[in-house]
Amino acid sequence: MLGNKIKARLCTCTAPMYLLYSTLEQGKLDEAMKLEHRLMNINMAVAKYNTGILFVKSAMDWFPGYYGGPTRKPLLPLDKKSLDGLKKAFVDNGFL
């Protein structure tokens, strides 16, 4: 289970985080700032819907080769409004 959670985080964050690091290293501050703001928008959406680990499980299903699976008690599945809001944040910020 922990491995799946780590994979989901790597899938959604590794490439953009590496890109952020490399643009900073190259001195492309404007480009890095734009990417950082896109990443911050995802973080704000997770905070807005207060989803925590439920977000990670749901987001895994959006990426090929990953499966978050159903939630187990005592957690409940994400409601449609939260799921749609999180997915919209990913799409609007170019991560899906």
Side-chain angles (χ1 to χ4, degrees):
M1 284 275 260
L2 181 59
N4 287 343
K5 294 172 190 171
I6 292 170
K7 285 179 187 177
R9 289 176 190 251
L10 289 174
C11 178
T12 58
C13 295
T14 302
M17 292 305 292
Y18 176 76
L19 182 59
L20 178 62
Y21 173 79
S22 64
T23 53
L24 284 171
E25 284 288 307
Q26 296 169 20
K28 299 177 182 176
L29 300 181
D30 289 338
E31 186 178 333
M33 189 181 305
K34 288 177 187 174
L35 178 55
E36 181 183 20
H37 288 163
R38 288 175 49 215
L39 291 165
M40 287 171 48
N41 288 335
I42 300 299
N43 189 47
M44 289 189 306
V46 171
K48 175 182 178 181
Y49 295 106
N50 194 27
T51 59
I53 192 62
L54 298 177
F55 158 71
V56 174
K57 291 181 71 58
S58 297
M60 287 177 69
D61 293 336
W62 301 337
F63 296 93
Y66 294 94
Y67 174 65
T71 56
R72 293 183 296 190
K73 292 182 180 181
L75 300 176
L76 298 173
L78 278 181
D79 59 270
K80 182 164 174 40
K81 179 182 176 184
S82 298
L83 192 58
D84 290 346
L86 291 167
K87 192 161 193 173
K88 182 178 181 332
F90 267 76
V91 170
D92 290 351
N93 287 284
F95 296 113
L96 279 179

